[in-house]
Amino acid sequence: ELENQLTSKSQTLDELKESLASNGSAEQTPEAQSLRIAELCEMKDSIVNQVAQLKAAMESILEQWRAYDEIFAEVSLMTTRYLYCIDQCKPSGEEASLEALKKQVKTLQ
């Protein structure tokens, strides 16, 4: 989207340059027009640089979010596994007698 806006602004700037160059204002000297065109070109270059920096920053941020999502999914899976293991290892209402523990060991094997 930013690139489309930049392209649109660049085209508008080019049209303005052409218009200034072809029409020529009676109030502005060629030197003043030349300075204004140079100023507009500098502004355009500045905007292009800002967009490039923003694009690089956004790509970096997106990469960090991708890494976060992967790590979060991994941690979530491990947490679920641990909770399941804890739930399976609890004595179910009966006291932790030797017989109950032997039964649990057999179940786990």
Side-chain angles (χ1 to χ4, degrees):
E1 184 180 331
L2 288 174
E3 289 180 24
N4 291 339
Q5 289 178 358
L6 178 61
T7 302
S8 173
K9 298 291 182 187
S10 294
Q11 289 172 349
T12 304
L13 181 61
D14 291 339
E15 290 171 6
L16 285 172
K17 283 195 270 186
E18 289 175 15
S19 175
L20 278 173
S22 66
N23 292 339
S25 174
E27 298 172 5
Q28 290 187 345
T29 64
E31 294 82 15
Q33 289 178 353
S34 178
L35 287 175
R36 180 68 179 146
I37 290 173
E39 183 181 311
L40 290 172
C41 287
E42 286 178 24
M43 290 169 64
K44 176 186 170 187
D45 291 341
S46 173
I47 291 171
V48 168
N49 288 337
Q50 289 175 7
V51 168
Q53 290 173 353
L54 181 60
K55 189 175 180 181
M58 292 302 292
E59 287 173 1
S60 172
I61 289 169
L62 284 174
E63 187 58 37
Q64 290 175 2
W65 273 108
R66 282 187 203 104
Y68 170 81
D69 285 341
E70 289 174 14
I71 293 169
F72 181 81
E74 195 174 315
V75 168
S76 179
L77 180 62
M78 290 189 326
T79 302
T80 303
R81 285 179 180 165
Y82 293 139
L83 289 173
Y84 177 78
C85 288
I86 288 171
D87 189 48
Q88 293 300 310
C89 292
K90 282 191 223 175
S92 56
E94 56 192 49
E95 290 188 30
S97 67
L98 183 59
E99 289 301 318
L101 291 175
K102 285 180 183 179
K103 183 179 175 182
Q104 184 68 29
V105 167
K106 273 187 175 181
T107 302
L108 290 175
Q109 290 174 345

